[in-house]
């Protein structure tokens, strides 16, 4: 055998020296061929779009199309649906539940669920009301303590899940029951505490920037920030030798965002029916931007996706899985308490029933309808905004038509089921196409 090996080695052609690679260049094999479509102009993008559709990578397309259909249907039924006052109401009522939905998106990215957000919101509102209104503690400090209570509650849920091994479903279900009891106990015999007109919580949903420059200024900042992020990403990809967006695409994307942003600003500044830019909408957008940055631009965000995709593989890669899980549930609890303050602002005070009813359903439905997968490892923070816009648009339209609440529940449930079906079919299609 050794002689055969010797002959084989002797007869083999000499290994050719590798061609020198220019410093800073990326080998062709390291570049995903699907990224090269950017160099083919709009034809390449159309090819990539059809490939994604065949592979089940639908992204936010179903939600955007759904919003357009909802707007057209209700506008045909009642001309006031797209009025300034109606859109302002959608923005304000979306904010509190939307902030809570952002926390749910974090949890769903892990492939888990948090059933306690409604009761945690109630505890947060009750903590603020008891400290600030009943006992006269500084209003700002009371707000911070209320949000801190939500953070600690969420961290406690995460501890039992990550360290003890209790399923998240059971932990948060127990939390839903337990924190509801604490909320009722904190509210006392009266069961409700009204929100003072000059309090911080009252301003959350009651304050509007009436100066037209506020809405247009925020739109301008949003457009410039978006364009800057695209240009910075293009610069980084070019420096790394990777395919990047052509300037024509950057200009087109920026133009689309500019049209949407300034159209919303114009409607909010209409003299009839609108009061200006709602503070609630500004705070909601701020939470979305910060959370999106954390998820997409930090190593912690990448760890969340890794744990949600395959926890054991993430553990073997050196990721502290327990830490990620605890902090994610802490974020969910913190945002739930913050959202509870918005609900208290809208309802005029904290009550023993705040956060009950369909609050939990709407928050989870918003994250799922917006495109976050129930199976973990896939989704975007902006899903919270898209999902809440769908839910609140349906509710606003049905309210304008005088429909009963049971009709709203049935339609929202049907939309949620459709979103889950789309997610399941999309995952199955991607597996068939060889992508998970």
């Amino acid at each position: 055998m050794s002689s055969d090996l010797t002959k084989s080695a002797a007869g083999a052609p000499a290994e050719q020296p590798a061609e020198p690679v220019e410093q800073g260049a990326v080998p062709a094999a390291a570049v995903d061929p699907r990224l090269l479509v950017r160099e083919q102009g709009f034809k390449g993008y159309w090819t990539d779009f059809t490939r994604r559709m065949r592979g089940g990578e639908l992204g936010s397309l179903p939600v955007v199309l759904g919003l357009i259909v909802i707007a057209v249907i209700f506008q045909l039924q009642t001309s006031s649906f797209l009025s300034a006052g109606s859109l302002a109401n959608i923005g304000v009522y979306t904010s509190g539940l939307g902030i809570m939905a952002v926390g749910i998106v974090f949890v769903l990215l892990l492939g888990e669920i948090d059933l306690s957000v409604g009761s945690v919101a109630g505890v947060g509102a009750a903590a603020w009301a008891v400290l600030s209104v009943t006992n006269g503690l500084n209003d700002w400090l009371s707000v911070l303590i209320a949000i801190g209570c939500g953070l600690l509650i969420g961290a406690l849920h995460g501890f039992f899940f990550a360290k003890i091994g209790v399923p998240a479903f059971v932990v948060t279900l127990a939390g839903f029951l337990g924190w509801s009891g604490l909320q009722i106990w904190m509210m006392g015999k009266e069961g409700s505490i009204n929100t003072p007109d000059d309090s911080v919580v009252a301003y959350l949903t009651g304050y509007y920037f009436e100066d037209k420059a506020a809405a247009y200024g925020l739109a301008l900042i949003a457009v410039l920030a978006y364009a800057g992020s695209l240009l910075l990403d293009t610069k980084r990809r070019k420096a790394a030798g990777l395919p990047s967006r052509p300037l024509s695409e950057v200009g087109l994307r920026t133009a689309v965002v500019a049209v949407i942003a300034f159209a919303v600003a114009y409607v909010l500044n209409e003299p009839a029916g609108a009061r200006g830019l709602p503070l609630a909408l500004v705070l909601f957008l701020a939470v979305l931007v910060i959370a999106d940055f954390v998820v997409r631009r930090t190593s912690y965000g990448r760890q969340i996706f890794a744990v949600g995709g395959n926890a054991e593989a993430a553990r073997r890669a050196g990721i502290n899985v327990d830490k990620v899980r605890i902090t994610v549930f802490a974020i969910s609890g913190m945002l739930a308490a913050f959202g509870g303050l918005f609900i208290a602002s809208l309802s005029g005070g904290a009550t023993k029933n705040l956060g009950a009813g369909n609050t939990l359903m709407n928050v989870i439905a918003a994250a799922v309808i917006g495109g976050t997968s129930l199976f973990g490892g896939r989704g975007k923070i902006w899903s919270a905004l898209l999902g809440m816009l769908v839910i609140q648009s349906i509710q606003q339209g049905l309210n304008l038509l005088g429909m009963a609440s049971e009709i709203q529940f049935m339609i929202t449930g049907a939309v949620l089921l459709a979103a889950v079906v789309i997610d399941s079919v999309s995952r199955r299609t991607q597996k068939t196409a060889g992508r998970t």
Side-chain angles (χ1 to χ4, degrees), residues 98-100 102-103 106 281-293 335 338 342 381:
I99 289 173
M100 296 171 65
V102 172
F106 274 90
L281 183 59
V282 176
L283 294 176
F284 181 27
L285 292 176
V287 170
L288 285 169
V289 170
I290 294 173
D292 181 67
F293 176 82
L335 294 179
F338 190 29
F342 281 77
I381 293 298

Side-chain angles (χ1 to χ4, degrees), residues 21 23 38 40 46 52 96 103 141 159 165 180 190 203 215 240 244 288 303 306 317 342 346 392 430:
V21 179
Q23 186 176 3
R38 291 175 173 173
Q40 302 174 11
W46 176 253
R52 288 175 178 273
L141 180 59
F159 172 81
S180 295
E190 294 184 359
Y203 285 139
S244 59
L288 285 169
Q303 290 174 5
F342 281 77
L346 282 171
Q392 192 56 49
Q430 290 184 41

Side-chain angles (χ1 to χ4, degrees), residues 219-220 222-224 226 251-265:
L220 179 61
V223 172
L224 292 179
Y226 181 73
L252 179 60
R253 286 173 174 260
T254 303
V256 172
V257 171
V259 168
I260 296 174
F262 281 98
V264 172

